Amino acid sequence: MEAKITIAVASGKGGTGKTTVSANLARAAAEAGYKATYLDCDVEEPNGHLFLKPHLERRYPVTIPVPLVDEQKCTGCGACGEICQFSAILCINKTVLTFEKMCHGCGGCKLVCPTGAITEQGREIGIIEEGQAGGLGFLHGRLNVGEAMSPPLIRAVRSAGQKSGGLVIVDVPPGTSCPVIAALRGANYVLLVTEPTPFGLNDLGLAIDVLKELGIPHGVVVNRSDPEFDHFARDFCREKGVRILVEIPDDRRVAEAYSRGELAYDALPEYRDSFRELLVSLEKEARK
Amino acid sequence: MKEIVVISGKGGTGKTSLVASLAALSETPVLADCDVDAADLHLVLEPRSRHTEDFSGGKSARIIPDKCSNCGKCFELCRFEAIIKDDSKQPVFSVDPIACEGCGVCSRFCPEKAIEFKPSINGQWFISDTRYGPMVHARLGIAEENSGKLVSLVRGQARKLAEEKGLPYIIVDGPPGIGCPVIASVTGSDGVLIITEPTVSGEHDLERVAELVRHFQIPAYLCINKYDLNPEMSERIEEKAVSGGIMVVGRIRYDRSVTRAQVKRIPVVEIDDSAAAEDIRKIWEALAAEINKNN
């Protein structure tokens, strides 16, 4: 694969198997000789490394710019507090207070300050670690515990991943709000992992709505597929006009391998073909 | 009145199924679904809405085409990749409402005053009745921000209801992760019940969520779902939890009746002869006893 293709693995609901699918897919790609990189954008709870067991070579902090006020230059005019939409800087009785954890790093206070009393300094919100897992490139972000804002770190992981060519597989956080949007940016195709349960399908519906809004092509993986419940998933996807690319059976051996930190691709060789086939159909879909 | 928040770190470990059962066990609680970007509790509790309100968490920018002179100042200043440049269009610049962070910098510094900056509607919230008690829940709009603010609003409304009606418990269904909506869900609560699973991911994510509750100094309790999937891992997780100051309140067996309950839209404790139901009853007894100890 020469041209760069980014495939994101998302779900809406947590715990449906995003990491299982993305990590196995990444392993399948590397084994098949693709130049591939796995990007873990679930920076609040990154898990891909537990399965891919990368050799980490580089580690660096990610910061966001926050204001630093020079009291000598500050006249207490209050313009900074007025422009800030996030209650991160306040001016009370001509004294400026900053609340760094609230700051989104927009730079408005610095721009608006008439006396140049505000400069910016970096505040660490998390780290990025890069390495190799077999022939696979590996990259993940880890949000520092107690930090509220993950999107700037997710954007940093994504742009670090931009440098690698070939196939990029992105593990997306659960949900439908800003962290998900940040992780999905630039994806050519999104694989939605669901379970054939009411919770799984409800959240799949929300995720499909997000992708329609973003205009990114997408297809579904039904994980823990089960003859008792599968018709719910099939009916749902038919109604939504979304294709099911593969169904992964509810196999206790897969769950047990996962619990030990093993990839189904390695522990259960009979699953290799389904991940290889999924890879081929994804490549086809993503190039459309 | 005691507010108990159910969280997990890792998603999909059974928060909502557990909360639905606690709703049935705790006798007229106020329920709050704080997983506002992928809410599922309503699928089991089938709330009948009696109050609906729009939620505005912030402002968003919009370029007024007639006033724009294509100077590109907004494009230069925006740090969120939210100004789209398209030379084939007139004006060349527009705001991507999905990427817009709502900081207002573009609007403030536009030399033509061509960018309006107005409150945006980011979702809706509801007060509803369920067969177990009142419920406050919300729906964040597609691809919207400010889920933390919406979570705070839902919790605030739930607290108000509990106070007005003198109800003993608020049971909160929390979001996954450790970021903004989770922090907004747990701060100032009476106790956090963490539900995890015996997997390397569950173990890893529990460490981070445990650090978070320690950081905010909230009493924390743990139960392991599907513990028999990997009993050794379950023990290891419990040992770690205890040494981190978290009390273990029970274990839930792997049981297909949990999914069957979900399909029937009832809490699993209402399914006869369910092993998981039996385990959850014990968890509630242990948890209620502990929560009511700390006054």
Side-chain angles (χ1 to χ4, degrees):
Chain A
M1 188 178 290
E2 282 145 32
K4 194 183 149 181
I5 285 188
T6 302
I7 290 168
V9 183
S11 71
K13 176 167 160 40
T16 57
K18 283 180 297 298
T19 302
T20 298
V21 170
S22 53
N24 278 293
L25 210 53
R27 168 78 96 234
E31 294 268 314
Y34 286 75
K35 177 177 169 7
T37 307
Y38 169 87
L39 229 61
D40 197 343
C41 282
D42 189 358
V43 302
E44 294 180 38
E45 301 287 20
N47 289 145
H49 67 286
L50 301 171
F51 301 91
L52 292 166
K53 303 179 177 67
H55 174 66
L56 297 173
E57 291 150 357
R58 252 159 61 74
R59 174 196 167 107
Y60 49 94
V62 171
T63 61
I64 60 167
V66 298
L68 185 65
V69 182
D70 181 344
E71 285 172 22
Q72 303 296 317
K73 290 188 187 166
C74 174
T75 59
C77 72
C80 52
E82 269 164 46
I83 193 168
C84 183
Q85 298 296 314
F86 310 108
S87 314
I89 189 162
L90 291 178
C91 185
I92 301 163
N93 296 332
K94 305 221 163 220
T95 303
V96 174
L97 302 171
T98 57
F99 301 91
E100 293 186 345
K101 285 206 170 174
M102 310 288 282
C103 179
H104 288 220
C106 70
C109 54
K110 179 186 160 198
L111 285 166
V112 84
C113 178
T115 60
I118 298 179
T119 51
E120 289 178 313
Q121 58 178 348
R123 187 177 75 81
E124 184 187 314
I125 54 165
I127 55 160
I128 288 180
E129 292 177 311
E130 292 183 20
Q132 294 288 325
L136 179 75
F138 177 94
L139 225 151
H140 73 182
R142 298 175 71 85
L143 186 70
N144 291 348
V145 175
E147 285 299 332
M149 265 178 294
S150 59
L153 177 56
I154 294 171
R155 285 193 284 267
V157 173
R158 241 191 39 229
S159 57
Q162 294 294 343
K163 289 176 212 141
S164 40
L167 175 66
V168 177
I169 294 173
V170 183
D171 198 346
V172 176
T176 59
S177 62
C178 26
V180 178
I181 307 305
L184 288 176
R185 270 218 153 183
N188 301 95
Y189 191 85
V190 179
L191 197 55
L192 293 168
V193 186
T194 189
E195 316 169 327
T197 60
F199 294 176
L201 297 176
N202 179 66
D203 298 351
L204 173 66
L206 298 172
I208 291 172
D209 290 346
V210 170
L211 293 170
K212 284 188 176 153
E213 182 85 23
L214 295 175
I216 309 176
H218 48 278
V220 169
V221 173
V222 180
N223 192 21
R224 296 188 202 109
S225 103
D226 180 321
E228 197 179 329
F229 310 118
D230 280 348
H231 60 279
F232 296 123
R234 290 181 194 143
D235 292 349
F236 186 87
C237 289
R238 195 177 310 118
E239 225 168 85
K240 286 267 179 187
V242 179
R243 215 181 122 199
I244 296 178
L245 296 177
V246 71
E247 293 178 350
I248 303 172
D250 186 15
D251 181 343
R252 194 172 165 116
R253 294 173 310 155
V254 175
E256 284 172 356
Y258 179 92
S259 83
R260 296 188 298 265
E262 292 169 21
L263 288 174
Y265 189 91
D266 298 327
L268 302 160
E270 64 267 40
Y271 280 94
R272 286 186 188 172
D273 281 343
S274 21
F275 287 111
R276 278 187 207 125
E277 281 160 26
L278 178 59
L279 190 65
V280 172
S281 42
L282 277 173
E283 202 183 342
K284 232 183 266 170
E285 293 285 338
R287 287 193 189 283
K288 268 184 191 168
Chain B
M1 179 244 303
K2 301 287 182 186
E3 184 187 31
I4 302 167
V5 186
V6 180
I7 58 169
S8 65
K10 176 168 165 33
T13 59
K15 282 182 297 296
T16 302
S17 293
L18 180 61
V19 167
S21 283
L22 297 185
L25 295 171
S26 58
E27 284 176 41
T28 351
V30 175
L31 300 153
D33 192 346
C34 285
D35 190 1
V36 295
D37 60 306
D40 286 331
L41 189 60
H42 64 281
L43 297 173
V44 183
L45 302 185
E46 299 184 310
R48 291 170 309 279
S49 175
R50 60 179 154 88
H51 179 87
T52 302
E53 220 170 285
D54 283 337
F55 162 70
S56 173
K59 295 178 174 178
S60 61
R62 193 183 75 88
I63 296 176
I64 305 159
D66 290 347
K67 291 190 180 173
C68 176
S69 65
N70 290 327
C71 72
K73 188 79 181 168
C74 52
F75 186 75
E76 177 201 320
L77 293 180
C78 178
R79 290 184 175 173
F80 306 102
E81 304 169 35
I83 305 289
I84 304 166
K85 186 180 181 193
D86 184 344
D87 291 313
S88 69
K89 284 192 181 146
Q90 200 44 246
V92 172
F93 300 98
S94 61
V95 177
D96 175 354
I98 291 171
C100 178
E101 192 93 356
C103 70
V105 166
C106 57
S107 172
R108 173 67 174 71
F109 290 96
C110 174
E112 310 295 338
K113 305 223 173 319
I115 306 180
E116 53 176 34
F117 188 52
K118 290 183 173 169
S120 53
I121 303 299
N122 311 111
Q124 281 187 313
W125 60 275
F126 317 92
I127 297 178
S128 304
D129 291 312
T130 74
R131 50 196 186 275
Y132 307 105
M135 170 167 167
V136 185
H137 49 129
R139 190 186 298 134
L140 195 66
I142 294 301
E144 284 292 352
E145 319 207 1
N146 287 307
S147 56
K149 276 191 191 171
L150 185 52
V151 165
S152 302
L153 190 153
V154 167
R155 276 184 72 202
Q157 290 294 331
R159 183 162 285 269
K160 216 169 108 190
L161 272 177
E163 277 164 3
E164 277 167 16
K165 302 190 178 210
L167 298 175
Y169 294 108
I170 302 171
I171 312 271
V172 179
D173 192 0
I178 57 164
C180 145
V182 180
I183 293 173
S185 296
V186 299
T187 44
S189 67
D190 296 292
V192 164
L193 174 58
I194 305 167
I195 177 165
T196 191
E197 56 177 36
T199 65
V200 286
S201 305
E203 181 187 26
H204 174 266
D205 296 353
L206 175 69
E207 282 170 23
R208 288 167 66 78
V209 94
E211 199 181 327
L212 186 80
V213 293
R214 255 200 314 277
H215 181 93
F216 290 105
Q217 302 183 336
I218 307 160
Y221 308 90
L222 174 79
C223 67
I224 297 186
N225 195 10
K226 303 182 187 168
Y227 82 89
D228 43 346
L229 196 64
N230 188 336
E232 290 137 59
M233 177 71 82
S234 292
E235 266 166 43
R236 207 163 87 197
I237 292 177
E238 288 175 349
E239 276 164 27
K240 272 195 185 167
V242 170
S243 64
I246 296 173
M247 187 183 167
V248 178
V249 287
R251 291 172 160 190
I252 304 170
R253 279 167 277 183
Y254 176 82
D255 181 355
R256 285 177 64 89
S257 66
V258 176
T259 307
R260 289 205 190 98
Q262 209 187 97
V263 171
K264 283 188 175 169
R265 299 182 177 241
I266 55 172
V268 66
V269 290
E270 289 179 2
I271 292 219
D272 293 335
D273 302 323
S274 153
E278 201 183 310
D279 297 339
I280 293 172
R281 275 188 209 102
K282 285 185 195 151
I283 288 170
W284 171 244
E285 277 167 29
L287 181 67
E290 280 304 318
I291 289 271
N292 290 314
K293 245 190 232 171
N294 337 316
N295 271 317

